[in-house]
Amino acid sequence: MLIFVFPVLMGAWSFPWEGFWHNYQGQKSYDSKEYPRAEKHFSKGLKAAPKNPKLQYNQGNGFYRSEQYDEAIQAYQNSAQAKQLDKQKKAQSLYNLGNSFYRQGQKNQKNQEAWQKAVEA
């Protein structure tokens, strides 16, 4: 009976390490330059651990590489605002936030507001 109950429980319960697992899988996909796949893993990880700044930062990287700059901006902002983030990681988040605003402005070619936000970040 335990054999039949276990799969049902697995589907209904989020493992505590699920965020870590998706971050690991996402990083492997990112390293293989499979950016859309990486972003999907990071997004799944954030469903399990929504306040994890490392997942937010990595998700931003996946969005950035997929040229989804609006989403990258949101992810980097979330990462930069995390209280448990050390100064170096916060600086990286803000730097990448600035790059995302710049690329967003470059993509739109008339978006001076995005470029101003890039300078501010």
Side-chain angles (χ1 to χ4, degrees):
M1 173 135 175
L2 184 61
I3 295 172
F4 297 110
V5 174
F6 188 68
V8 172
L9 289 176
M10 285 180 60
W13 181 62
S14 175
F15 290 107
W17 60 82
E18 188 175 1
F20 172 79
W21 175 251
H22 284 295
N23 188 53
Y24 172 75
Q25 291 296 319
Q27 195 61 52
K28 280 178 52 177
S29 297
Y30 185 87
D31 292 341
S32 299
K33 299 183 182 189
E34 299 174 37
Y35 304 121
R37 184 175 181 190
E39 182 276 314
K40 287 178 185 175
H41 278 293
F42 297 138
S43 293
K44 285 180 183 178
L46 280 169
K47 286 181 182 175
K51 301 288 183 188
N52 186 320
K54 185 174 186 177
L55 276 166
Q56 292 167 338
Y57 176 81
N58 288 341
Q59 183 188 42
N61 290 342
F63 282 133
Y64 183 88
R65 292 293 183 171
S66 298
E67 298 182 7
Q68 298 178 41
Y69 301 118
D70 292 336
E71 293 84 355
I73 288 167
Q74 186 62 48
Y76 290 135
Q77 285 174 332
N78 291 342
S79 175
Q81 293 170 356
K83 292 181 175 139
Q84 67 268 35
L85 205 62
D86 64 37
K87 289 180 181 183
Q88 182 180 2
K89 292 292 183 188
K90 183 172 183 152
Q92 287 175 328
S93 293
L94 292 172
Y95 177 83
N96 288 343
L97 175 62
N99 281 339
S100 297
F101 277 123
Y102 176 78
R103 295 289 182 194
Q104 181 188 50
Q106 195 176 39
K107 191 174 182 181
N108 295 336
Q109 294 182 344
K110 294 182 181 176
N111 198 341
Q112 295 294 323
E113 181 182 345
W115 286 342
Q116 182 60 38
K117 288 181 181 179
V119 171
E120 292 170 8

